[in-house]
């Protein structure tokens, strides 16, 4: 989705902003732009380009000096990708520049009024109304002009504004779309994502919804959109700038798949309590009495996070014996759900910014529900909005498709389930057994990753397929769903995922030699049932790739994964299928880190 980066200080701003935009590329975008000025300059200088940041860079003139600037990567919502629709947008006099993430819901109405007043629009974007509103404001200060303009606007925004007559400052505001300030030594940064900041400063201030800030080179202040001062104490982010580099891998996806052993080690670190065969989850803000009072758990997330939540629901039901289910947050928020005071709601999100999840959390909170967040990005909107929760500590995930965050989120759910279970009826011996299983995970993941060459060969065989089927039963079903999502996201091969138990109820009609099936076949109580499904597919000449704990006779290929405790099996079974999707897409020549039409953080509806 769209990205913002801004700087004010003494350094040459254009290279800094271009580097910041490159760090935001992973979010997905279709055009980019930059506007700069300096205290001595007479106005604003702007360059915009459809395409990649490198296309923008190529258009930037040699003499493009300045010390203040804002820049943007745009992911089209209103108007096609083009130079004109790229941000920044300028007012008619070229004095005001705005970059904006989010959507202005009443843009059509505002545009009609402005056009009736004689304003000529140069783009089809919703954002351009904002720049004209700022320019027309009669207020004296830039802060007041922006505040007045925002009063007319309905919708979501993360916005940064520059004005040629106020070249000593950048004014930013947030409502529903992230804005993060980076505090430096006599220089200030702003971005929509800390990825653009961490190579310059680790001192961060995250704006709240309804908050604005003024950045000057040696100072910043925050205040509400109503004008009252707020206190903002910078926090130090732990993520290293290097975590955003490719680290010798050809793609971020490959890097992130390869990091999973360490990532899982991190989510476990400091949380296991051997004395009581349980785990410490201090951030939940849920005491034992409250935990015992939970009658139901409802998990909400989107895409991969929803799939992780499905596994989480099964773990909670299995270990804590609390009825639990997962639902796409994007559906939940539109169906006027019954919100029950005895239900624990859990919002899952890697980015912590997914709009549908955030909107579901806000609706739940409004109705008085208790909401926990299971989130990767520290300090993100969902993490801050929730009553408590746990970070999954996967480290930055740059690739649009989620891999290590899926795995870490499932492990985080295993910890939550174990915690709730041990407060309720899970025995000490089961607690011990699961803790031992959790401790084995990093080494087992490393062992799976060592089989990459074998998986690559299988993937190259499947790379020509038009379509693929993924099946799994109970614990294996969310694994199948996630594996099929991964494959379709990056290879664009059509993929279906079904519960293996549903095969006979329809999808069996699709089985033929040209449709390979990937079957999740753990050594659990359902092994024989799963084997029967393989028989049915084989009898129809279907090709089978099994992911199993031992060779499957009916399968054309088996990827054997190490056995753990049955409840934890889904954590490991997904990993070879990430590699399968990766190598299939690679063999097909796809742009793996930037799949078409997708964005990393879906911060709009
Ligand atoms: O940041 P989130 O976990 O909230 O994102 C949710 C989905 O948009 C995300 O998982 C999406 O499905 C990814 N492309 C999966 O690879």
């Amino acid at each position: 989705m769209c990205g913002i980066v801004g700087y004010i200080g003494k350094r040459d701003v254009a290279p800094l902003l271009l580097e910041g935009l490159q760090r935001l590329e992973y979010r997905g975008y279709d055009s980019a732009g930059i506007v700069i000025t300096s205290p001595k300059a007479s106005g604003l200088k702007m360059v915009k380009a459809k395409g990649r940041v490198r296309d923008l860079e190529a258009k930037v003139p040699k003499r493009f000096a300045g010390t203040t600037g804002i820049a943007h990567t745009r992911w089209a919502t209103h108007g096609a990708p083009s130079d004109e629709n790229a941000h920044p947008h300028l007012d008619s006099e070229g004095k005001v520049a705005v970059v904006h993430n989010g959507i202005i819901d009443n843009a059509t109405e505002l545009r009609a009024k402005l056009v009736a007043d004689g304003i000529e629009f140069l783009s089809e974007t919703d954002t351009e109304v904002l720049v004209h509103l700022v320019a027309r404001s009669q207020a004296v200060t830039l802060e007041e002009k922006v505040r007045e303009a925002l009063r007319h606007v309905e919708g979501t925004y993360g916005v940064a504004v520059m004005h040629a007559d106020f070249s000593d400052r950048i004014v930013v505001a947030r409502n529903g779309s992230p804005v993060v300030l980076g505090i430096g030594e006599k220089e200030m940064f702003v971005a929509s994502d800390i990825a653009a900041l961490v190579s310059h400063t680790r001192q961060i201030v995250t704006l709240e919804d309804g908050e604005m800030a003024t950045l000057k080179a040696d100072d910043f202040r925050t205040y509400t959109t109503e004008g009252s001062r707020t206190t903002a104490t910078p926090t130090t982010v732990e993520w290293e700038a290097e975590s955003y580099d490719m680290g010798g891998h050809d793609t971020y996806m490959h890097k992130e798949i390869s990091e999973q052993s360490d990532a899982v080690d991190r989510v476990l670190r400091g949380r296991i309590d051997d004395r009581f065969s349980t785990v410490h989850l201090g951030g939940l803000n849920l005491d034992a009495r409250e935990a015992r009072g939970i009658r139901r758990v409802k998990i909400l997330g989107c895409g991969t996070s929803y799939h992780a939540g499905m596994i989480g629901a099964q773990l909670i039901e299995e270990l804590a014996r609390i009825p639990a289910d997962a639902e796409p947050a994007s559906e939940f928020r539109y169906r006027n759900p019954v919100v029950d005071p005895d239900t624990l709601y859990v919002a899952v999100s890697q980015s912590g910014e997914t709009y549908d999840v955030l909107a579901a959390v806000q609706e739940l909170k409004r109705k008085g529900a208790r909401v926990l967040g299971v989130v990767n990005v520290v300090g993100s909107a969902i993490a801050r909005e929730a009553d408590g929760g746990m970070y999954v500590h996967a480290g930055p995930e740059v690739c649009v498709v989620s891999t290590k965050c899926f795995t870490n989120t499932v492990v985080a759910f295993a910890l939550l389930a174990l915690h709730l279970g041990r407060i309720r009826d899970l025995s000490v011996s089961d607690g011990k057994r699961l803790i031992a299983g959790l401790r084995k995970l990093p080494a087992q993941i490393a062992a799976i990753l060592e089989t990459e060459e074998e998986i690559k060969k299988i993937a190259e065989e499947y790379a020509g397929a038009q379509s693929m089927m993924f099946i799994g039963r109970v614990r294996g079903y969310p694994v199948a769903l996630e594996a099929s999502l991964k494959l379709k996201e990056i290879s664009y091969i059509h993929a279906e995922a079904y519960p293996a138990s549903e095969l006979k109820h329809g999808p069996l009609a699709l089985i033929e030699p040209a449709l390979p099936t990937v079957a999740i076949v753990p050594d659990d109580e359902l092994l024989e049932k799963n084997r029967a499904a393989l028989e049915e597919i084989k009898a129809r000449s279907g090709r089978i790739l099994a992911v199993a704990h031992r060779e499957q006779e009916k399968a054309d290929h088996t990827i054997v994964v190490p056995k753990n405790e049955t409840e934890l099996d889904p954590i490991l079974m997904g990993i070879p299928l990430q590699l399968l999707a990766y190598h299939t897409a690679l063999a097909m020549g796809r742009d793996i880190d930037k799949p078409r039409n997708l964005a990393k953080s879906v911060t709009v509806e």
Side-chain angles (χ1 to χ4, degrees):
M1 295 265 125
C2 304
I4 291 175
V5 56
Y7 172 83
I8 183 161
K10 300 243 174 314
R11 290 198 264 170
D12 188 14
V13 70
L16 280 178
L17 295 185
L18 291 167
E19 183 229 282
L21 290 183
Q22 271 156 10
R23 296 211 177 255
L24 297 178
E25 282 193 298
Y26 78 96
R27 297 173 70 94
Y29 70 105
D30 45 53
S31 52
I34 176 172
V35 65
I36 64 165
T37 190
S38 65
K40 291 181 218 133
S42 53
L44 306 178
K45 292 185 268 187
M46 183 173 78
V47 183
K48 307 203 280 187
K50 180 183 166 189
R52 297 288 183 199
V53 173
R54 62 172 176 268
D55 301 313
L56 174 70
E57 201 168 355
K59 279 178 86 175
V60 170
K62 283 220 163 56
R63 289 167 63 85
F64 197 67
T67 51
T68 303
I70 52 179
H72 191 261
T73 46
R74 171 175 188 255
W75 192 81
T77 57
H78 293 57
S82 67
D83 288 4
E84 295 72 31
N85 288 335
H87 300 208
H89 292 286
L90 298 185
D91 71 310
S92 322
E93 285 185 55
K95 281 190 155 187
V96 182
V98 171
V99 292
H100 163 230
N101 289 356
I103 292 184
I104 298 175
D105 295 333
N106 59 341
T108 313
E109 188 189 316
L110 292 172
R111 178 185 277 254
K113 279 190 199 149
L114 289 162
V115 169
D117 286 354
I119 301 283
E120 196 188 329
F121 276 76
L122 299 176
S123 78
E124 299 158 277
T125 64
D126 52 339
T127 303
E128 199 183 335
V129 298
L130 195 51
V131 75
H132 295 302
L133 289 171
V134 176
R136 280 161 58 99
S137 166
Q138 296 301 309
V140 176
T141 66
L142 180 58
E143 290 77 357
E144 283 164 7
K145 287 177 190 289
V146 175
R147 189 175 300 132
E148 199 177 290
L150 291 175
R151 246 181 245 134
H152 295 279
V153 162
E154 287 163 21
T156 54
Y157 51 78
V159 71
V161 183
M162 277 170 55
H163 196 305
D165 296 343
F166 301 90
S167 59
D168 65 337
R169 67 196 62 200
I170 299 172
V171 173
V172 300
R174 167 184 176 140
N175 182 41
S177 194
V179 176
V180 191
L181 315 182
I183 314 304
E185 279 293 315
K186 299 210 182 316
E187 58 181 4
M188 298 289 158
F189 299 82
V190 60
S192 51
D193 183 326
I194 56 171
L197 305 178
V198 285
S199 57
H200 303 292
T201 176
R202 310 245 311 259
Q203 293 297 104
I204 299 295
V205 169
T206 306
L207 291 195
E208 301 286 345
D209 279 347
E211 214 172 11
M212 294 176 63
T214 299
L215 301 182
K216 292 185 172 183
D218 51 6
D219 177 32
F220 76 96
R221 64 194 164 87
T222 59
Y223 41 90
T224 66
T225 34
E226 304 309 319
S228 335
R229 281 298 292 266
T230 53
T231 30
T233 315
T235 53
T236 307
V237 284
E238 282 168 24
W239 292 357
E240 307 284 343
E242 299 74 55
S243 324
Y244 291 93
D245 296 335
M246 222 116 60
H249 294 261
D250 289 337
T251 61
Y252 280 108
M253 183 176 182
H254 193 265
K255 176 188 179 225
E256 287 157 11
I257 291 174
S258 311
E259 285 172 347
Q260 291 180 99
S261 178
D262 290 344
V264 167
D265 192 50
R266 266 197 310 274
V267 69
L268 297 176
R269 205 174 299 156
R271 284 172 161 163
I272 291 176
D273 173 357
D274 285 304
R275 187 163 162 233
F276 291 106
S277 305
T278 185
V279 289
H280 285 304
L281 299 173
L284 293 185
N285 298 333
L286 189 73
D287 66 28
R289 190 183 292 268
E290 288 167 328
R292 287 195 71 87
I294 300 166
R295 298 255 165 278
R296 215 182 138 71
V297 177
K298 179 92 189 167
I299 300 170
L300 301 166
C302 294
T304 289
S305 290
Y306 161 59
H307 297 154
M310 288 174 78
I311 302 176
Q314 292 188 3
L315 281 161
I316 290 168
E317 207 158 285
E318 216 169 343
L319 304 183
R321 304 305 296 155
I322 308 173
D325 74 315
E327 184 177 341
S330 46
E331 288 287 301
F332 176 85
R333 59 181 284 239
Y334 284 115
R335 66 171 181 81
N336 193 21
V338 175
V339 174
D340 169 20
D342 297 330
T343 297
L344 176 68
Y345 294 86
V346 185
V348 196
S349 175
Q350 182 285 128
S351 59
E353 304 286 350
T354 299
Y355 189 76
D356 282 320
V357 185
L358 184 59
V361 172
Q362 287 167 341
E363 176 69 359
L364 283 165
K365 297 273 316 270
R366 194 184 64 76
K367 291 181 171 169
R370 181 193 283 272
V371 187
L372 298 185
V374 175
V375 170
N376 188 43
V377 178
V378 175
S380 54
I382 294 165
R384 283 179 298 128
E385 195 82 36
D387 298 300
M390 39 188 317
Y391 285 116
V392 308
H393 295 309
E397 191 178 68
V398 174
C399 181
V400 167
V401 300
S402 184
T403 51
K404 62 175 179 171
C405 279
F406 171 77
T407 305
N408 267 41
T409 303
V410 178
V411 177
F413 270 116
L415 297 178
L416 179 63
L418 177 54
H419 172 77
L420 294 174
R422 287 289 298 121
I423 286 174
R424 298 161 81 104
D425 300 321
L426 190 76
S427 67
V428 170
S429 62
D430 274 334
K432 276 203 169 81
R433 173 177 69 77
L434 288 159
I435 285 172
L438 287 166
R439 284 201 167 111
K440 275 193 222 155
L441 287 172
Q444 290 181 316
I445 292 171
I448 293 172
L449 295 175
E450 273 168 26
T451 64
E452 182 171 354
E453 270 310 304
E454 184 194 327
I455 297 170
K456 181 173 176 234
K457 283 193 197 115
I458 300 171
E460 282 162 358
E461 252 185 62
Y462 287 107
Q466 290 283 314
S467 187
M468 278 174 79
M469 176 77 83
F470 289 78
I471 57 167
R473 205 179 280 260
V474 186
R475 296 182 200 94
Y477 175 49
V479 176
L481 275 170
E482 173 56 14
S484 108
L485 176 67
K486 220 74 311 162
L487 184 79
K488 69 185 103 174
E489 281 185 298
I490 53 164
S491 73
Y492 319 144
I493 293 178
H494 169 249
E496 301 243 10
Y498 266 92
S501 53
E502 282 286 299
L503 261 191
K504 284 206 247 343
H505 300 288
L508 203 54
L510 295 173
I511 300 296
E512 47 139 350
L515 180 91
T517 299
V518 177
I520 318 299
V521 192
D523 255 13
D524 61 10
E525 70 282 8
L526 298 167
L527 179 62
E528 291 315 316
K529 299 267 176 226
N530 281 323
R531 281 186 166 155
L534 302 191
E535 298 270 3
E536 285 161 11
I537 295 166
K538 212 64 229 164
R540 277 130 193 116
S541 310
R543 275 193 295 159
I544 301 172
L545 164 61
V547 178
H549 292 121
R550 52 182 132 143
E551 286 291 332
Q552 293 303 312
E553 205 186 296
K554 292 290 163 194
D556 300 272
H557 301 283
T558 307
I559 300 173
V560 177
V561 297
K563 179 85 185 91
N564 198 303
E565 296 305 322
T566 299
E567 298 90 331
L568 305 179
D569 282 337
I571 300 169
L572 296 171
M573 302 200 100
I575 292 171
L577 295 174
Q578 296 171 348
L579 284 169
L580 182 81
Y582 177 79
H583 283 291
T584 307
L586 199 64
M588 295 172 79
R590 304 299 193 212
D591 186 351
I592 288 180
D593 281 336
K594 297 187 191 80
R596 69 183 180 204
N597 307 337
L598 298 181
K600 181 66 178 163
S601 300
V602 185
T603 50
V604 293
E605 277 187 81

